[in-house]
Amino acid sequence: MNFAVGESSVYLHKLTERIRASRDLEIVVAPSAIALQPLSLQIDRKKLRLAAQTANPHDFGAYTGEVSFAQLRGLVDYCIIGHSERRQLFHESDKQVRLAVAAALRNNITPILCIGETSTERTFGETSDVVRDQLLGGLSEVSAEDINKVIIAYEPIWAISSTTDAHIATPDEVAEIVTFIRRTLTDTYSSSIAEAIPILYGGSVKPTNAGAYLTVPGVNGLLIGGASLIADQFIDIIDTAKKVIS
């Protein structure tokens, strides 16, 4: 919940001026809902794509204050679903998350399904159970034909800088869980599906550590938090990603 509409427009303009289109790199920005419509008219889709931060799984109805995936259709290419703040602060249930994933696909929007454990769950050795339950629960209403349209984002809550007990995840820690996610996908679907699904990492990503996370085997991109609010830092991370690709 940052930037007024005008500030979002200025930010997008700055990004557009300073980055070049790349065939091998997709850059997505996720502004507040109120800015999505005007930015959809401004954005250069050769360079950038838009994502919503959340949406309601019902296509329409008496849900005052909510925005549906049906209303976002044509405005955004992606939607972040099950972000840790949505799960923790707004008590979004596993049922809401899986319905949202299905609604996104129904409306031709690519879901970015966020999964990750808390510090307490990690301390008590529950990481695998939590990650597996959130992963398979979020995908439980996705058909075999649509599973390759989903993106997974692993964001360990204990590594998010805004949490009180955060510490930075090491590349080895990230690699362990990403490997587990792909193994779970292999066991549930197939190895070809598991390898094809993009997995992002999110958790205190900064220009200084982005390269290390991007070189973790099985990590295909980043879900960036606070650093994305500072255009110069976001551009530095984009430049790092281009170097890793090349």
Side-chain angles (χ1 to χ4, degrees), residues 102-243:
L105 293 169
R106 185 169 66 245
N107 287 283
N108 294 326
I109 295 171
T110 300
I112 302 173
L113 172 62
C114 297
I115 59 177
E117 78 282 17
T118 65
S119 176
T120 300
E121 290 165 341
R122 182 171 184 264
T123 299
F124 284 94
E126 298 172 353
T127 294
S128 296
D129 291 336
V130 171
V131 169
R132 182 191 299 107
D133 289 349
Q134 291 182 351
L135 175 65
L136 299 183
L139 298 176
S140 61
E141 296 205 13
V142 179
S143 68
E145 293 76 20
D146 286 338
I147 190 65
N148 63 343
K149 301 176 184 176
V150 178
I151 294 173
I152 307 299
Y154 173 57
E155 51 155 7
I157 298 169
W158 51 268
I160 298 173
S161 58
S162 59
T163 57
T164 55
D165 56 351
H167 76 268
I168 305 300
T170 67
D172 286 344
E173 289 172 325
V174 175
E176 180 182 359
I177 304 304
V178 169
T179 299
F180 173 77
I181 291 170
R182 292 209 185 273
R183 187 166 64 245
T184 302
L185 291 169
T186 297
D187 293 343
T188 307
Y189 300 99
S190 68
S191 58
S192 59
I193 287 176
E195 289 302 314
I197 293 179
I199 297 180
L200 315 179
Y201 172 70
S204 300
V205 176
K206 299 176 176 63
T208 52
N209 60 25
Y213 291 133
L214 285 169
T215 53
V216 170
V219 171
N220 306 110
L222 302 170
L223 183 69
I224 305 163
S228 68
L229 297 174
I230 304 169
D232 289 341
Q233 290 192 22
F234 191 28
I235 291 167
D236 284 345
I237 293 172
I238 293 168
D239 289 340
T240 297
K242 289 180 178 178
K243 292 177 183 176

Side-chain angles (χ1 to χ4, degrees), residues 54-59 63 66-70 72 96 99-100 103 106:
T54 187
N56 189 290
H58 296 90
D59 285 345
Y63 303 98
E66 293 292 280
V67 176
S68 73
F69 288 94
L72 293 172
Q96 286 174 291
L99 290 176
R106 185 169 66 245

